[in-house]
Amino acid sequence: MIRLIALISIGIVLSAKVYADDLLETTELSRRALSMPMALLDSEQKLGQFAAGRSLFNQMWVIAPSNDADIDGLGPLYNSISCLACHPGNGRGRAPDGPTEKMRSMLVRLSVPGENPFHSKPHPVYGGQLQEFAVPGVPSEGRAELHYEYSTITLSEGETAILRKPSIQLVNPGYGDFGEVLTSARIGPALVGMGLIDMIDKQEILSWQDADDANADGISGRVNWIIDEATQTRHVGRFGYKANIATLDEQIASAFQADLGLTSALFPEENCSSVQIDCQQAVSGGEPELTAEQLKTVSFYLKFLAVPAPRDPSEPEVLRGRAVFDEAGCIACHRPQFKTSSTAKPAAFANRFIAPYSDFLLHDMGENLSDNRPDSGATGTEWRTAPLWGIGLAENVGDKVGYLHDGRATTLLEAILWHGGEGQKSRDAVVNMPKSDRDALLEFLNSL
């Protein structure tokens, strides 16, 4: 069976090679591997725009008022002083290794229990996200400690893996007791390919929906429909761990507002609740603090980040690993190929074949991965299929990285072993397959 799939995989690799577009890819392997511009930026003007966006992305924002009004407005409550802090080298963040270690590239979402299994209610005092830092004169909201419960799992041929299950404890409340609260830890995800994801024709994503598992394969992915309240129109969610954001610009602006406390035209309100009076009265860095031009500049940068080209795709061990990937059923959610819309803008993005290894649908991943918290159209057990392109370069870019939404997994194998729900069958296949097949699978993932 694997030999047959290997032949199919070779065909897919060759087909992908035909459609592969060097204008979108980079072969860089250094710490800059996820920070390179696409080759289609072929003029000094475009490269200048890219560099300006990178500068803003890396910028350490300051408290208002300051001598440089272009970069002030941080806070009043915030998690980080720059985008780079949570996405080092545009790569993945990580979870603290214990309760005494601070969250450097992780945040904690908050809500209170409600009756709707798909939508959360922000905490009436602390809002939708814990802010661990504040400007002078404003109390911070508190701190989140990460505690772990460890377990050992035995795989075929006696191989073992240690898994750590996190739990969150909120301490040092700045505005009174937290009370009954739901939490969800999230590490910063890798950012490559976001512009291309934004340009996938929604019909391509819809075509993979199977909400009722009509084909009885155990996979029942569904789109997270995002409602635009202003126009009462529906959009396909593509971004975020819960696929709860529809466009790249909204993803960027929401991160600036929630993580850095910077307002924009899309999110004009400071992240202060009605009872956080000092927060409401803090000096503003402008209305809005992130200008339309700055948002456009950061969006340009993220849109044109080059996607890492696969390494050694025709090597026998990589081909074998791809065959194992297919046979284990991973391909049912981590779909290798999409085509961008024929009307994508800029025109250079139209009709491009891309290999994100995701279907951008929500899947029930079981209780072990559940955060037990509904979120913008997704239940606690549902998560968007994470794109895999560039995942093999995660450790080239970051000194220490995490996998899955909360960084509990420190290796790709651990990430696989946490799969449950719709991913249980594939996870079990990996546990029981010969070690040589597991090694080949990991070789393939590391080639992406």
Side-chain angles (χ1 to χ4, degrees), residues 114-328:
E115 296 180 358
N116 192 323
F118 297 101
H119 292 278
S120 62
K121 296 169 61 177
H123 192 285
V125 175
Y126 292 94
Q129 184 168 306
L130 182 71
Q131 311 289 338
E132 295 201 346
F133 303 103
V135 302
V138 177
S140 65
E141 293 187 330
R143 196 170 78 81
E145 293 181 347
L146 219 58
H147 299 257
Y148 292 104
E149 177 184 339
Y150 292 87
S151 61
T152 301
I153 180 171
T154 301
L155 291 67
S156 68
E157 301 184 26
E159 183 179 7
T160 60
I162 297 175
L163 303 183
R164 58 179 193 175
K165 183 175 183 178
S167 62
I168 298 169
Q169 183 176 345
L170 302 179
V171 298
N172 304 330
Y175 298 86
D177 188 76
F178 289 104
E180 190 176 6
V181 60
L182 304 177
T183 61
S184 182
R186 312 282 178 87
I187 62 169
L191 302 178
V192 294
M194 296 180 74
L196 296 171
I197 293 170
D198 208 23
M199 296 301 148
I200 297 172
D201 191 315
K202 74 175 183 180
Q203 293 303 326
E204 284 252 342
I205 299 175
L206 289 171
S207 69
W208 294 114
Q209 268 203 124
D210 186 15
D212 299 318
D213 193 17
N215 62 1
D217 67 349
I219 307 298
S220 54
R222 68 178 183 88
V223 160
N224 192 358
W225 287 104
I226 308 303
I227 308 299
D228 185 325
E229 298 294 343
T231 62
Q232 286 299 298
T233 54
R234 296 197 311 165
H235 302 277
V236 172
R238 303 163 187 253
F239 300 101
Y241 285 112
K242 297 282 189 176
N244 54 7
I245 294 182
T247 69
L248 178 58
D249 282 351
E250 185 182 355
Q251 173 65 42
I252 296 167
S254 66
F256 268 106
Q257 194 260 2
D259 303 344
L260 282 78
L262 293 165
T263 60
S264 66
L266 293 180
F267 294 90
E269 301 295 327
E270 297 283 5
N271 55 356
C272 311
S273 73
S274 60
V275 302
Q276 294 172 330
I277 305 303
D278 290 331
C279 180
Q280 295 175 29
Q281 296 177 348
V283 177
S284 171
E287 297 183 1
E289 293 161 328
L290 181 73
T291 67
E293 186 60 31
Q294 286 173 322
L295 175 59
K296 179 180 177 181
T297 300
V298 176
S299 181
F300 186 94
Y301 170 63
L302 294 179
K303 185 177 295 184
F304 289 102
L305 282 174
V307 176
R311 274 82 58 207
D312 304 316
S314 58
E315 286 294 315
E317 190 72 355
V318 172
L319 285 175
R320 183 184 177 203
R322 171 59 197 266
V324 174
F325 183 84
D326 293 0
E327 187 171 80

Side-chain angles (χ1 to χ4, degrees), residues 62-138:
V62 298
I63 299 167
S66 76
N67 292 329
D68 191 342
D70 289 339
I71 59 169
D72 70 5
L74 178 70
L77 296 166
Y78 60 96
N79 290 106
S80 179
I81 62 174
S82 74
C83 304
L84 184 67
C86 288
H87 308 277
N90 297 318
R92 313 175 69 80
R94 58 175 290 256
D97 289 325
T100 61
E101 185 178 346
K102 292 182 179 180
M103 292 187 173
R104 294 184 174 85
S105 50
M106 173 183 263
L107 54 84
V108 176
R109 296 281 168 82
L110 304 175
S111 58
V112 293
E115 296 180 358
N116 192 323
F118 297 101
H119 292 278
S120 62
K121 296 169 61 177
H123 192 285
V125 175
Y126 292 94
Q129 184 168 306
L130 182 71
Q131 311 289 338
E132 295 201 346
F133 303 103
V135 302
V138 177

Side-chain angles (χ1 to χ4, degrees), residues 15-32:
S15 172
K17 207 61 180 170
V18 170
Y19 293 120
D21 199 325
D22 293 340
L23 293 178
L24 307 178
E25 296 180 339
T26 177
T27 57
E28 182 69 38
L29 299 178
S30 72
R31 293 181 75 87
R32 300 183 300 150

